[in-house]
Amino acid sequence: MSGQRQPRHAATIILLRHAQPNGFDVLLIRCPDEMAFLGGMHCFPGGGLTKEDCSPRMLRRCYGLTAAQARNILSAHFAPHQALGLWAAGIRELFEKVGILLAVTEAEKRLVGTAIGKSNFVEKRTALLEKTLSFASFLEAERLLWDLGTILPDDGIWFVPDSGMR
């Protein structure tokens, strides 16, 4: 019998938009069949927390939520830097999985989908996925900040930390 695995911290983003005449649309992804965890299943975009997500370099690129606020929302179970890192992980995973980037410029201008589609972010996303570029380097080079304030329950985007096996 193998030993029990320790769960990894992870983050999931639930993305909603209003649909007409009533209701809303929900973004789901289909995990590749060959994935060990959730292969072939439909789920919300998300994934495991990395050391880089909680690094001082990454946390300096956070906007709209402080480490203390993130900890108060999640629970005292997390250190403030870890709680804030979970928010960053959720946004990172959303960009990795589907190419949606929740960010603001250093001048606090919120990015929109059309602006992202017309930029070189597609190439940068590929480099991130191939691990030839770090997220901190990407954000610094593009002069971007993670828009953590966007993923709050009253904005139609929900952040769901989880401790499921990844």
Side-chain angles (χ1 to χ4, degrees):
M1 182 190 296
S2 63
Q4 188 174 10
R5 288 181 29 182
Q6 192 71 353
R8 286 180 43 206
H9 295 299
T12 299
I13 300 281
I14 300 173
L15 209 55
L16 306 171
R17 75 174 172 196
H18 292 284
Q20 296 299 328
N22 297 330
F24 53 90
D25 294 326
V26 179
L27 176 70
L28 293 173
I29 62 170
R30 184 176 186 280
C31 298
D33 291 331
E34 59 274 4
M35 284 183 63
F37 182 75
L38 297 177
M41 304 296 291
H42 288 87
C43 63
F44 301 111
L49 178 70
T50 68
K51 287 182 182 181
E52 183 186 21
D53 296 328
C54 298
S55 71
R57 187 175 175 203
M58 283 293 285
L59 297 183
R60 282 192 296 272
R61 306 308 299 177
C62 293
Y63 171 83
L65 188 71
T66 68
Q69 290 169 324
R71 184 178 189 212
N72 286 340
I73 293 168
L74 294 182
S75 81
H77 173 74
F78 297 100
H81 75 280
Q82 191 178 36
L84 193 59
L86 280 163
W87 252 263
I91 292 177
R92 175 185 53 75
E93 286 287 339
L94 183 64
F95 186 57
E96 282 181 353
K97 298 289 193 298
V98 294
I100 296 173
L101 181 61
L102 302 177
V104 296
T105 65
E106 289 177 351
E108 298 182 9
K109 181 180 177 187
R110 184 168 277 154
L111 298 179
V112 294
T114 55
I116 294 169
K118 294 179 182 177
S119 71
N120 65 349
F121 287 3
V122 172
E123 295 164 7
K124 299 281 177 122
R125 181 173 170 247
T126 299
L128 291 167
L129 293 172
E130 293 172 349
K131 303 208 183 305
T132 59
L133 177 68
S134 74
F135 270 89
S137 296
F138 165 62
L139 294 173
E140 290 166 353
E142 297 296 326
R143 301 178 52 108
L144 297 174
L145 306 169
W146 294 124
D147 192 3
L148 305 183
T150 301
I151 48 177
L152 296 174
D154 60 349
D155 289 335
I157 300 172
W158 289 70
F159 171 77
V160 181
D162 70 54
S163 295
M165 295 296 261
R166 297 276 183 220

